[in-house]
């Protein structure tokens, strides 16, 4: 199950996975297409978008942002989205995606990787993450 950067041709598979996330907003294909086109064109070098695939195609993705923070003495990464197809869960696809993100963070000199998660806390605990704060958000 290789993990790789997203590439042209993955859009439909990734959009289908977006629909499996728990959302405050329903997925909008036009907005998705604009955003992923920017990622594919390299317009957002601070965004990592990896997919994991098997013989059935793309089965999951991880989207991570990397920014310099004042409080972390350098770069900090936030795992923004992680989803594995519902029929592919339990086969370490999510673990492989997180490991690929971690490896790239180390390569870039990131000092911390954070993730906001309530529903998948046990998954992240097993990967060595530690609970440190509650996630709050406001919609505009």
């Amino acid at each position: 199950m290789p993990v790789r950067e997203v590439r042209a041709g993955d859009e439909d598979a990734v959009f289908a996975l977006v629909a499996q996330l728990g959302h405050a907003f329903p997925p909008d294909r036009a907005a998705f297409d604009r955003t992923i086109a920017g990622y594919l064109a390299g317009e957002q070098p601070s965004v990592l978008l990896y997919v994991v695939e098997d013989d059935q195609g793309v089965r999951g993705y991880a989207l991570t942002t990397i920014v310099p923070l004042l409080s972390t003495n350098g770069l900090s990464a936030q795992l923004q989205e992680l989803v594995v197809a519902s029929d592919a869960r339990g086969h370490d696809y999510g673990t492989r995606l997180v490991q690929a993100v971690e490896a790239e963070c180390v390569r870039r000199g990131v000092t911390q990787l954070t993730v906001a998660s309530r529903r998948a806390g046990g998954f992240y605990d097993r990967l060595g993450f530690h609970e440190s704060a509650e996630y709050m958000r406001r919609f505009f």
Side-chain angles (χ1 to χ4, degrees):
M1 74 191 87
V3 174
R4 60 172 173 77
E5 288 186 57
V6 71
R7 62 181 175 228
D10 292 335
E11 296 91 343
D12 290 342
V14 173
F15 186 75
L17 291 164
V18 169
Q20 292 187 32
L21 285 172
H23 293 261
F25 302 101
D28 177 281
R29 184 60 193 243
F32 170 89
D33 286 342
R34 285 189 302 274
T35 302
I36 201 165
Y39 296 160
L40 291 169
E43 295 171 1
Q44 300 290 331
S46 63
V47 173
L48 306 176
L49 181 53
Y50 291 134
V51 297
V52 62
E53 58 187 349
D54 62 16
D55 59 349
Q56 295 183 46
V58 172
R59 306 295 280 154
Y61 79 89
L63 187 144
T64 305
T65 54
I66 301 174
V67 297
L69 296 181
L70 299 173
S71 62
T72 60
N73 300 318
L75 296 174
S76 177
Q78 171 82 31
L79 182 56
Q80 302 284 355
E81 299 175 7
L82 176 70
V83 64
V84 172
S86 58
D87 65 339
R89 294 179 187 154
H91 299 285
D92 291 331
Y93 289 21
T95 299
R96 299 282 179 127
L97 285 162
V98 172
Q99 289 170 339
V101 167
E102 290 174 337
E104 182 62 14
C105 286
V106 168
R107 190 188 76 72
R108 292 189 186 201
V110 170
T111 59
Q112 75 171 1
L113 173 62
T114 61
V115 61
S117 177
R118 289 184 187 210
R119 296 181 305 186
F123 169 77
Y124 292 108
D125 288 339
R126 287 190 300 279
L127 294 176
F129 286 74
H130 307 282
E131 188 174 331
S132 66
E134 187 165 331
Y135 183 76
M136 307 290 287
R137 67 180 171 177
R138 182 173 178 184
F139 298 113
F140 297 102

